[in-house]
PDB file of all heavy atoms in Angstrom:
ATOM      1  N   GLU A 114     117.241 -76.792 -18.515  1.00 96.00           N
ATOM      2  CA  GLU A 114     117.237 -77.799 -19.640  1.00 96.00           C
ATOM      3  C   GLU A 114     116.964 -79.174 -19.106  1.00 96.00           C
ATOM      4  O   GLU A 114     116.125 -79.920 -19.762  1.00 96.00           O
ATOM      5  CB  GLU A 114     118.505 -77.750 -20.432  1.00 96.00           C
ATOM      6  CG  GLU A 114     118.602 -76.667 -21.366  1.00 96.00           C
ATOM      7  CD  GLU A 114     119.915 -76.692 -22.106  1.00 96.00           C
ATOM      8  OE1 GLU A 114     120.580 -77.720 -22.267  1.00 96.00           O
ATOM      9  OE2 GLU A 114     120.349 -75.573 -22.686  1.00 96.00           O
ATOM     10  N   LYS A 115     117.645 -79.537 -18.034  1.00 95.00           N
ATOM     11  CA  LYS A 115     117.507 -80.885 -17.491  1.00 95.00           C
ATOM     12  C   LYS A 115     116.251 -81.017 -16.581  1.00 95.00           C
ATOM     13  O   LYS A 115     115.956 -82.109 -16.216  1.00 95.00           O
ATOM     14  CB  LYS A 115     118.785 -81.248 -16.740  1.00 95.00           C
ATOM     15  CG  LYS A 115     118.917 -82.748 -16.586  1.00 95.00           C
ATOM     16  CD  LYS A 115     120.452 -83.059 -16.265  1.00 95.00           C
ATOM     17  CE  LYS A 115     120.454 -84.525 -16.106  1.00 95.00           C
ATOM     18  NZ  LYS A 115     121.900 -85.087 -16.262  1.00 95.00           N
ATOM     19  N   GLY A 116     115.768 -79.877 -16.187  1.00 96.00           N
ATOM     20  CA  GLY A 116     114.636 -79.897 -15.288  1.00 96.00           C
ATOM     21  C   GLY A 116     114.912 -80.306 -13.879  1.00 96.00           C
ATOM     22  O   GLY A 116     114.184 -81.121 -13.261  1.00 96.00           O
ATOM     23  N   VAL A 117     116.184 -79.911 -13.429  1.00 94.00           N
ATOM     24  CA  VAL A 117     116.557 -80.263 -12.066  1.00 94.00           C
ATOM     25  C   VAL A 117     116.803 -79.055 -11.191  1.00 94.00           C
ATOM     26  O   VAL A 117     117.076 -78.035 -11.658  1.00 94.00           O
ATOM     27  CB  VAL A 117     117.881 -81.195 -12.091  1.00 94.00           C
ATOM     28  CG1 VAL A 117     117.547 -82.516 -12.731  1.00 94.00           C
ATOM     29  CG2 VAL A 117     118.979 -80.524 -12.817  1.00 94.00           C
ATOM     30  N   LYS A 118     116.697 -79.289  -9.945  1.00 91.00           N
ATOM     31  CA  LYS A 118     117.029 -78.187  -8.953  1.00 91.00           C
ATOM     32  C   LYS A 118     118.465 -78.423  -8.399  1.00 91.00           C
ATOM     33  O   LYS A 118     119.028 -79.465  -8.583  1.00 91.00           O
ATOM     34  CB  LYS A 118     116.056 -78.258  -7.830  1.00 91.00           C
ATOM     35  CG  LYS A 118     114.653 -77.996  -8.182  1.00 91.00           C
ATOM     36  CD  LYS A 118     113.688 -78.060  -6.891  1.00 91.00           C
ATOM     37  CE  LYS A 118     112.293 -77.858  -7.491  1.00 91.00           C
ATOM     38  NZ  LYS A 118     111.365 -77.844  -6.401  1.00 91.00           N
ATOM     39  N   TYR A 119     118.997 -77.377  -7.839  1.00 88.00           N
ATOM     40  CA  TYR A 119     120.362 -77.428  -7.420  1.00 88.00           C
ATOM     41  C   TYR A 119     120.548 -78.521  -6.320  1.00 88.00           C
ATOM     42  O   TYR A 119     121.575 -79.172  -6.309  1.00 88.00           O
ATOM     43  CB  TYR A 119     120.857 -76.147  -6.796  1.00 88.00           C
ATOM     44  CG  TYR A 119     120.978 -75.061  -7.842  1.00 88.00           C
ATOM     45  CD1 TYR A 119     120.720 -73.699  -7.490  1.00 88.00           C
ATOM     46  CD2 TYR A 119     121.359 -75.235  -9.161  1.00 88.00           C
ATOM     47  CE1 TYR A 119     120.818 -72.693  -8.389  1.00 88.00           C
ATOM     48  CE2 TYR A 119     121.420 -74.260 -10.092  1.00 88.00           C
ATOM     49  CZ  TYR A 119     121.195 -72.937  -9.749  1.00 88.00           C
ATOM     50  OH  TYR A 119     121.362 -71.925 -10.575  1.00 88.00           O
ATOM     51  N   SER A 120     119.544 -78.670  -5.531  1.00 88.00           N
ATOM     52  CA  SER A 120     119.631 -79.721  -4.434  1.00 88.00           C
ATOM     53  C   SER A 120     119.686 -81.136  -5.123  1.00 88.00           C
ATOM     54  O   SER A 120     120.414 -81.957  -4.633  1.00 88.00           O
ATOM     55  CB  SER A 120     118.393 -79.596  -3.498  1.00 88.00           C
ATOM     56  OG  SER A 120     117.163 -79.809  -4.284  1.00 88.00           O
ATOM     57  N   GLU A 121     119.009 -81.384  -6.230  1.00 91.00           N
ATOM     58  CA  GLU A 121     119.036 -82.686  -6.915  1.00 91.00           C
ATOM     59  C   GLU A 121     120.545 -82.845  -7.470  1.00 91.00           C
ATOM     60  O   GLU A 121     121.050 -83.951  -7.439  1.00 91.00           O
ATOM     61  CB  GLU A 121     118.015 -82.696  -8.065  1.00 91.00           C
ATOM     62  CG  GLU A 121     116.602 -82.752  -7.572  1.00 91.00           C
ATOM     63  CD  GLU A 121     115.652 -82.685  -8.693  1.00 91.00           C
ATOM     64  OE1 GLU A 121     115.608 -83.608  -9.556  1.00 91.00           O
ATOM     65  OE2 GLU A 121     114.987 -81.635  -8.805  1.00 91.00           O
ATOM     66  N   ILE A 122     121.069 -81.828  -8.102  1.00 91.00           N
ATOM     67  CA  ILE A 122     122.341 -81.947  -8.630  1.00 91.00           C
ATOM     68  C   ILE A 122     123.407 -82.089  -7.574  1.00 91.00           C
ATOM     69  O   ILE A 122     124.279 -82.980  -7.604  1.00 91.00           O
ATOM     70  CB  ILE A 122     122.833 -80.593  -9.368  1.00 91.00           C
ATOM     71  CG1 ILE A 122     121.760 -80.300 -10.556  1.00 91.00           C
ATOM     72  CG2 ILE A 122     124.224 -80.707  -9.976  1.00 91.00           C
ATOM     73  CD1 ILE A 122     121.834 -78.894 -11.085  1.00 91.00           C
ATOM     74  N   ALA A 123     123.227 -81.413  -6.484  1.00 88.00           N
ATOM     75  CA  ALA A 123     124.280 -81.486  -5.351  1.00 88.00           C
ATOM     76  C   ALA A 123     124.324 -82.953  -4.729  1.00 88.00           C
ATOM     77  O   ALA A 123     125.290 -83.334  -4.242  1.00 88.00           O
ATOM     78  CB  ALA A 123     123.895 -80.519  -4.241  1.00 88.00           C
ATOM     79  N   HIS A 124     123.197 -83.621  -4.795  1.00 89.00           N
ATOM     80  CA  HIS A 124     123.234 -85.075  -4.182  1.00 89.00           C
ATOM     81  C   HIS A 124     124.160 -85.860  -4.992  1.00 89.00           C
ATOM     82  O   HIS A 124     124.680 -86.866  -4.434  1.00 89.00           O
ATOM     83  CB  HIS A 124     121.842 -85.655  -4.307  1.00 89.00           C
ATOM     84  CG  HIS A 124     120.897 -85.109  -3.213  1.00 89.00           C
ATOM     85  ND1 HIS A 124     121.159 -85.333  -1.847  1.00 89.00           N
ATOM     86  CD2 HIS A 124     119.811 -84.381  -3.376  1.00 89.00           C
ATOM     87  CE1 HIS A 124     120.141 -84.710  -1.186  1.00 89.00           C
ATOM     88  NE2 HIS A 124     119.344 -84.114  -2.041  1.00 89.00           N
ATOM     89  N   LYS A 125     124.478 -85.524  -6.202  1.00 90.00           N
ATOM     90  CA  LYS A 125     125.486 -86.313  -7.034  1.00 90.00           C
ATOM     91  C   LYS A 125     126.881 -85.621  -7.118  1.00 90.00           C
ATOM     92  O   LYS A 125     127.682 -86.145  -7.811  1.00 90.00           O
ATOM     93  CB  LYS A 125     124.886 -86.483  -8.436  1.00 90.00           C
ATOM     94  CG  LYS A 125     123.563 -87.223  -8.431  1.00 90.00           C
ATOM     95  CD  LYS A 125     123.111 -87.524  -9.801  1.00 90.00           C
ATOM     96  CE  LYS A 125     121.743 -88.079  -9.901  1.00 90.00           C
ATOM     97  NZ  LYS A 125     121.353 -89.217  -9.277  1.00 90.00           N
ATOM     98  N   MET A 126     127.105 -84.638  -6.314  1.00 90.00           N
ATOM     99  CA  MET A 126     128.281 -83.833  -6.385  1.00 90.00           C
ATOM    100  C   MET A 126     129.081 -83.973  -5.007  1.00 90.00           C
ATOM    101  O   MET A 126     128.558 -84.385  -4.069  1.00 90.00           O
ATOM    102  CB  MET A 126     128.033 -82.318  -6.497  1.00 90.00           C
ATOM    103  CG  MET A 126     127.294 -81.973  -7.749  1.00 90.00           C
ATOM    104  SD  MET A 126     128.432 -82.205  -9.164  1.00 90.00           S
ATOM    105  CE  MET A 126     127.383 -83.027 -10.372  1.00 90.00           C
ATOM    106  N   PRO A 127     130.399 -83.669  -5.168  1.00 89.00           N
ATOM    107  CA  PRO A 127     131.238 -83.788  -3.921  1.00 89.00           C
ATOM    108  C   PRO A 127     131.203 -82.483  -3.035  1.00 89.00           C
ATOM    109  O   PRO A 127     132.145 -82.149  -2.417  1.00 89.00           O
ATOM    110  CB  PRO A 127     132.610 -83.948  -4.533  1.00 89.00           C
ATOM    111  CG  PRO A 127     132.610 -83.227  -5.857  1.00 89.00           C
ATOM    112  CD  PRO A 127     131.223 -83.443  -6.382  1.00 89.00           C
ATOM    113  N   PHE A 128     130.061 -81.745  -3.205  1.00 88.00           N
ATOM    114  CA  PHE A 128     129.873 -80.519  -2.442  1.00 88.00           C
ATOM    115  C   PHE A 128     128.437 -80.328  -2.101  1.00 88.00           C
ATOM    116  O   PHE A 128     127.630 -80.861  -2.683  1.00 88.00           O
ATOM    117  CB  PHE A 128     130.437 -79.309  -3.183  1.00 88.00           C
ATOM    118  CG  PHE A 128     129.907 -79.164  -4.576  1.00 88.00           C
ATOM    119  CD1 PHE A 128     128.731 -78.511  -4.778  1.00 88.00           C
ATOM    120  CD2 PHE A 128     130.608 -79.606  -5.621  1.00 88.00           C
ATOM    121  CE1 PHE A 128     128.155 -78.394  -6.041  1.00 88.00           C
ATOM    122  CE2 PHE A 128     130.024 -79.498  -6.950  1.00 88.00           C
ATOM    123  CZ  PHE A 128     128.845 -78.964  -7.127  1.00 88.00           C
ATOM    124  N   PRO A 129     128.160 -79.543  -1.040  1.00 88.00           N
ATOM    125  CA  PRO A 129     126.755 -79.206  -0.701  1.00 88.00           C
ATOM    126  C   PRO A 129     125.987 -78.310  -1.634  1.00 88.00           C
ATOM    127  O   PRO A 129     126.627 -77.562  -2.384  1.00 88.00           O
ATOM    128  CB  PRO A 129     126.863 -78.582   0.717  1.00 88.00           C
ATOM    129  CG  PRO A 129     128.229 -77.996   0.668  1.00 88.00           C
ATOM    130  CD  PRO A 129     129.071 -78.808  -0.177  1.00 88.00           C
ATOM    131  N   ASN A 130     124.637 -78.376  -1.649  1.00 85.00           N
ATOM    132  CA  ASN A 130     123.887 -77.532  -2.585  1.00 85.00           C
ATOM    133  C   ASN A 130     123.980 -75.978  -2.311  1.00 85.00           C
ATOM    134  O   ASN A 130     123.788 -75.205  -3.119  1.00 85.00           O
ATOM    135  CB  ASN A 130     122.426 -77.969  -2.657  1.00 85.00           C
ATOM    136  CG  ASN A 130     121.675 -77.761  -1.357  1.00 85.00           C
ATOM    137  OD1 ASN A 130     122.238 -77.567  -0.261  1.00 85.00           O
ATOM    138  ND2 ASN A 130     120.389 -77.720  -1.398  1.00 85.00           N
ATOM    139  N   SER A 131     124.395 -75.726  -1.069  1.00 88.00           N
ATOM    140  CA  SER A 131     124.627 -74.339  -0.739  1.00 88.00           C
ATOM    141  C   SER A 131     125.700 -73.584  -1.573  1.00 88.00           C
ATOM    142  O   SER A 131     125.620 -72.399  -1.821  1.00 88.00           O
ATOM    143  CB  SER A 131     124.926 -74.193   0.777  1.00 88.00           C
ATOM    144  OG  SER A 131     126.202 -74.741   1.040  1.00 88.00           O
ATOM    145  N   TYR A 132     126.624 -74.479  -2.139  1.00 90.00           N
ATOM    146  CA  TYR A 132     127.568 -73.852  -2.987  1.00 90.00           C
ATOM    147  C   TYR A 132     126.970 -73.225  -4.232  1.00 90.00           C
ATOM    148  O   TYR A 132     127.439 -72.205  -4.775  1.00 90.00           O
ATOM    149  CB  TYR A 132     128.639 -74.933  -3.401  1.00 90.00           C
ATOM    150  CG  TYR A 132     129.688 -75.250  -2.362  1.00 90.00           C
ATOM    151  CD1 TYR A 132     129.433 -75.034  -1.015  1.00 90.00           C
ATOM    152  CD2 TYR A 132     130.872 -75.785  -2.732  1.00 90.00           C
ATOM    153  CE1 TYR A 132     130.402 -75.379  -0.042  1.00 90.00           C
ATOM    154  CE2 TYR A 132     131.839 -76.071  -1.785  1.00 90.00           C
ATOM    155  CZ  TYR A 132     131.556 -75.879  -0.524  1.00 90.00           C
ATOM    156  OH  TYR A 132     132.532 -76.151   0.480  1.00 90.00           O
ATOM    157  N   PHE A 133     125.948 -73.797  -4.806  1.00 86.00           N
ATOM    158  CA  PHE A 133     125.340 -73.257  -5.986  1.00 86.00           C
ATOM    159  C   PHE A 133     124.862 -71.777  -5.716  1.00 86.00           C
ATOM    160  O   PHE A 133     124.943 -70.963  -6.434  1.00 86.00           O
ATOM    161  CB  PHE A 133     124.096 -74.114  -6.437  1.00 86.00           C
ATOM    162  CG  PHE A 133     124.538 -75.310  -7.153  1.00 86.00           C
ATOM    163  CD1 PHE A 133     124.402 -76.623  -6.532  1.00 86.00           C
ATOM    164  CD2 PHE A 133     125.044 -75.272  -8.432  1.00 86.00           C
ATOM    165  CE1 PHE A 133     124.768 -77.722  -7.168  1.00 86.00           C
ATOM    166  CE2 PHE A 133     125.435 -76.418  -9.081  1.00 86.00           C
ATOM    167  CZ  PHE A 133     125.224 -77.621  -8.522  1.00 86.00           C
ATOM    168  N   TYR A 134     124.241 -71.671  -4.480  1.00 85.00           N
ATOM    169  CA  TYR A 134     123.709 -70.387  -4.193  1.00 85.00           C
ATOM    170  C   TYR A 134     124.805 -69.387  -3.885  1.00 85.00           C
ATOM    171  O   TYR A 134     124.687 -68.258  -4.198  1.00 85.00           O
ATOM    172  CB  TYR A 134     122.773 -70.538  -2.942  1.00 85.00           C
ATOM    173  CG  TYR A 134     121.631 -71.451  -3.232  1.00 85.00           C
ATOM    174  CD1 TYR A 134     121.561 -72.716  -2.788  1.00 85.00           C
ATOM    175  CD2 TYR A 134     120.576 -71.087  -4.186  1.00 85.00           C
ATOM    176  CE1 TYR A 134     120.645 -73.643  -3.104  1.00 85.00           C
ATOM    177  CE2 TYR A 134     119.530 -71.969  -4.540  1.00 85.00           C
ATOM    178  CZ  TYR A 134     119.557 -73.262  -3.987  1.00 85.00           C
ATOM    179  OH  TYR A 134     118.629 -74.172  -4.291  1.00 85.00           O
ATOM    180  N   ASP A 135     125.900 -69.830  -3.273  1.00 87.00           N
ATOM    181  CA  ASP A 135     127.012 -68.994  -3.061  1.00 87.00           C
ATOM    182  C   ASP A 135     127.658 -68.489  -4.419  1.00 87.00           C
ATOM    183  O   ASP A 135     127.975 -67.331  -4.525  1.00 87.00           O
ATOM    184  CB  ASP A 135     128.161 -69.698  -2.360  1.00 87.00           C
ATOM    185  CG  ASP A 135     127.765 -69.967  -0.798  1.00 87.00           C
ATOM    186  OD1 ASP A 135     126.836 -69.398  -0.303  1.00 87.00           O
ATOM    187  OD2 ASP A 135     128.434 -70.893  -0.193  1.00 87.00           O
ATOM    188  N   TRP A 136     127.746 -69.418  -5.391  1.00 88.00           N
ATOM    189  CA  TRP A 136     128.254 -69.037  -6.623  1.00 88.00           C
ATOM    190  C   TRP A 136     127.326 -68.014  -7.322  1.00 88.00           C
ATOM    191  O   TRP A 136     127.840 -67.122  -7.973  1.00 88.00           O
ATOM    192  CB  TRP A 136     128.440 -70.329  -7.594  1.00 88.00           C
ATOM    193  CG  TRP A 136     129.454 -71.294  -7.029  1.00 88.00           C
ATOM    194  CD1 TRP A 136     130.674 -70.972  -6.337  1.00 88.00           C
ATOM    195  CD2 TRP A 136     129.440 -72.658  -7.150  1.00 88.00           C
ATOM    196  NE1 TRP A 136     131.262 -72.148  -6.024  1.00 88.00           N
ATOM    197  CE2 TRP A 136     130.626 -73.163  -6.535  1.00 88.00           C
ATOM    198  CE3 TRP A 136     128.524 -73.556  -7.743  1.00 88.00           C
ATOM    199  CZ2 TRP A 136     130.811 -74.454  -6.448  1.00 88.00           C
ATOM    200  CZ3 TRP A 136     128.851 -74.917  -7.673  1.00 88.00           C
ATOM    201  CH2 TRP A 136     129.969 -75.369  -7.044  1.00 88.00           C
ATOM    202  N   GLN A 137     126.059 -68.205  -7.289  1.00 82.00           N
ATOM    203  CA  GLN A 137     125.083 -67.220  -7.850  1.00 82.00           C
ATOM    204  C   GLN A 137     125.125 -65.917  -7.165  1.00 82.00           C
ATOM    205  O   GLN A 137     125.216 -64.905  -7.761  1.00 82.00           O
ATOM    206  CB  GLN A 137     123.664 -67.782  -7.802  1.00 82.00           C
ATOM    207  CG  GLN A 137     123.489 -68.924  -8.698  1.00 82.00           C
ATOM    208  CD  GLN A 137     123.554 -68.485 -10.182  1.00 82.00           C
ATOM    209  OE1 GLN A 137     123.055 -67.529 -10.594  1.00 82.00           O
ATOM    210  NE2 GLN A 137     124.190 -69.325 -10.980  1.00 82.00           N
ATOM    211  N   ARG A 138     125.183 -65.878  -5.827  1.00 83.00           N
ATOM    212  CA  ARG A 138     125.168 -64.692  -5.080  1.00 83.00           C
ATOM    213  C   ARG A 138     126.445 -63.893  -5.122  1.00 83.00           C
ATOM    214  O   ARG A 138     126.463 -62.628  -5.332  1.00 83.00           O
ATOM    215  CB  ARG A 138     124.708 -65.003  -3.701  1.00 83.00           C
ATOM    216  CG  ARG A 138     124.516 -63.758  -2.769  1.00 83.00           C
ATOM    217  CD  ARG A 138     123.979 -64.081  -1.291  1.00 83.00           C
ATOM    218  NE  ARG A 138     124.720 -65.205  -0.649  1.00 83.00           N
ATOM    219  CZ  ARG A 138     124.302 -66.415  -0.516  1.00 83.00           C
ATOM    220  NH1 ARG A 138     123.078 -66.803  -0.929  1.00 83.00           N
ATOM    221  NH2 ARG A 138     124.968 -67.352   0.083  1.00 83.00           N
ATOM    222  N   GLU A 139     127.529 -64.600  -5.002  1.00 76.00           N
ATOM    223  CA  GLU A 139     128.808 -63.948  -4.885  1.00 76.00           C
ATOM    224  C   GLU A 139     129.509 -63.782  -6.225  1.00 76.00           C
ATOM    225  O   GLU A 139     130.544 -63.084  -6.293  1.00 76.00           O
ATOM    226  CB  GLU A 139     129.787 -64.629  -3.926  1.00 76.00           C
ATOM    227  CG  GLU A 139     129.220 -64.691  -2.475  1.00 76.00           C
ATOM    228  CD  GLU A 139     130.117 -65.468  -1.520  1.00 76.00           C
ATOM    229  OE1 GLU A 139     131.264 -65.793  -1.885  1.00 76.00           O
ATOM    230  OE2 GLU A 139     129.640 -65.862  -0.551  1.00 76.00           O
ATOM    231  N   LYS A 140     128.944 -64.369  -7.273  1.00 74.00           N
ATOM    232  CA  LYS A 140     129.532 -64.396  -8.647  1.00 74.00           C
ATOM    233  C   LYS A 140     130.993 -64.977  -8.544  1.00 74.00           C
ATOM    234  O   LYS A 140     131.839 -64.408  -9.287  1.00 74.00           O
ATOM    235  CB  LYS A 140     129.551 -63.045  -9.208  1.00 74.00           C
ATOM    236  CG  LYS A 140     128.152 -62.433  -9.286  1.00 74.00           C
ATOM    237  CD  LYS A 140     127.312 -63.134 -10.281  1.00 74.00           C
ATOM    238  CE  LYS A 140     125.989 -62.484 -10.473  1.00 74.00           C
ATOM    239  NZ  LYS A 140     124.977 -63.344 -11.106  1.00 74.00           N
ATOM    240  N   THR A 141     131.234 -65.907  -7.704  1.00 85.00           N
ATOM    241  CA  THR A 141     132.502 -66.544  -7.756  1.00 85.00           C
ATOM    242  C   THR A 141     132.392 -67.874  -8.592  1.00 85.00           C
ATOM    243  O   THR A 141     131.317 -68.172  -9.073  1.00 85.00           O
ATOM    244  CB  THR A 141     132.872 -67.077  -6.315  1.00 85.00           C
ATOM    245  OG1 THR A 141     131.853 -67.938  -5.807  1.00 85.00           O
ATOM    246  CG2 THR A 141     133.009 -65.894  -5.382  1.00 85.00           C
TER     247      THR A 141
END
Side-chain angles (χ1 to χ4, degrees):
E114 281 177 23
K115 196 164 184 160
V117 293
K118 295 180 181 182
Y119 294 149
S120 59
E121 295 173 64
I122 301 166
H124 285 295
K125 300 188 189 300
M126 296 291 136
F128 54 82
N130 67 345
S131 62
Y132 281 26
F133 284 107
Y134 302 105
D135 291 342
W136 296 326
Q137 288 294 316
R138 187 174 46 254
E139 297 176 20
K140 301 294 185 200
T141 59

